[in-house]
Amino acid sequence: MRVEQFVMAYHVEQDRLRAMLPRGFESLRPVLRFNAELRTEGDKTTPCVELNTPVEGEGKRGWLNIARWEGTPLTYDRAAKTVTFRAPFLTLSFTAVGLEGGCPAERDNDGCFYPDRAMAFVPAEQIDVNKEFCDCSFAWSFRPGDAHGESTRETLPAFPMDRAAVYPAAPLTAEEAASIPCDQVLGCYVVRFDR
């Protein structure tokens, strides 16, 4: 299977993330991340988008999957160097800029937790090809005022934030995550590989 994996992270209020996490998980950074893929087998290409946040739990560090969409209602289109994923609740667009960097390895990424699969843990995929940086934009549209943002052609770090507020427990859903404002897009890239 040929994969084009588009990744974009954005900065949010960490206390809002903490309110969404299941018992036993701690937020590592104030980040929400889209991991969008175009998966091609033969002449068929299927779009997939995951939304996740970095956590520590069950003795591991990695990403907690908040939501996943594959196929309908998700669609995509390509215009020159721009790939746009669309759903009734989200528009997510990446434009490759032709600059490459090292492979997207993360030191504290053991893999991904999937709450919808009884908290199944999937080890991190080893990718050893360079990434290509992108410009990107996103807009949630579950409700008016949902988060949106654009990249600034910079890759920025996200550092843990001390607790400043305690929010009531909130559901671990894309709708709840979309209601948390985007402070800044931290960076985005595309990586192409065979799975």
Side-chain angles (χ1 to χ4, degrees):
M1 173 189 309
R2 186 65 179 163
V3 176
E4 286 181 274
Q5 186 179 80
F6 300 84
V7 179
M8 187 266 283
Y10 66 99
H11 192 278
V12 296
E13 182 185 349
Q14 194 166 7
D15 288 332
R16 296 276 305 270
L17 290 177
R18 289 179 176 118
M20 295 172 55
L21 297 183
R23 184 177 307 242
F25 286 87
E26 295 292 326
S27 176
L28 293 176
R29 293 181 299 283
V31 171
L32 285 169
R33 179 183 79 168
F34 292 107
N35 188 347
E37 291 186 351
L38 294 179
R39 300 172 178 168
T40 302
E41 289 187 276
D43 59 357
K44 181 179 180 187
T45 299
T46 303
C48 177
V49 174
E50 290 186 352
L51 174 68
N52 44 53
T53 189
V55 296
E56 182 171 8
E58 300 180 4
K60 298 177 180 70
R61 288 177 161 233
W63 295 90
L64 177 65
N65 191 267
I66 297 169
R68 174 187 171 83
W69 305 276
E70 186 168 352
T72 307
L74 186 64
T75 62
Y76 79 97
D77 60 70
R78 187 186 304 269
K81 294 186 174 195
T82 300
V83 173
T84 303
F85 296 84
R86 290 183 182 17
F89 47 83
L90 175 68
T91 302
L92 180 59
S93 185
F94 297 84
T95 302
V97 297
L99 298 173
E100 287 193 1
C103 66
E106 298 167 311
R107 290 185 300 273
D108 64 351
N109 180 15
D110 296 324
C112 194
F113 297 94
Y114 288 89
D116 63 336
R117 300 182 206 166
M119 210 51 81
F121 182 79
V122 177
E125 187 170 31
Q126 298 301 313
I127 300 172
D128 61 359
V129 296
N130 282 351
K131 60 187 172 187
E132 182 178 1
F133 294 99
C134 294
D135 288 334
C136 66
S137 64
F138 78 97
W140 289 107
S141 52
F142 287 110
R143 295 167 304 272
D146 277 348
H148 60 279
E150 287 185 21
S151 61
T152 60
R153 288 223 169 172
E154 293 182 90
T155 300
L156 305 168
F159 300 104
M161 301 170 69
D162 291 334
R163 189 177 295 274
V166 177
Y167 291 95
L172 184 69
T173 63
E175 293 91 333
E176 186 68 26
S179 72
I180 305 173
C182 168
D183 297 326
Q184 186 168 35
V185 171
L186 300 170
C188 51
Y189 63 85
V190 58
V191 62
R192 301 169 182 92
F193 59 97
D194 291 319
R195 176 176 289 149

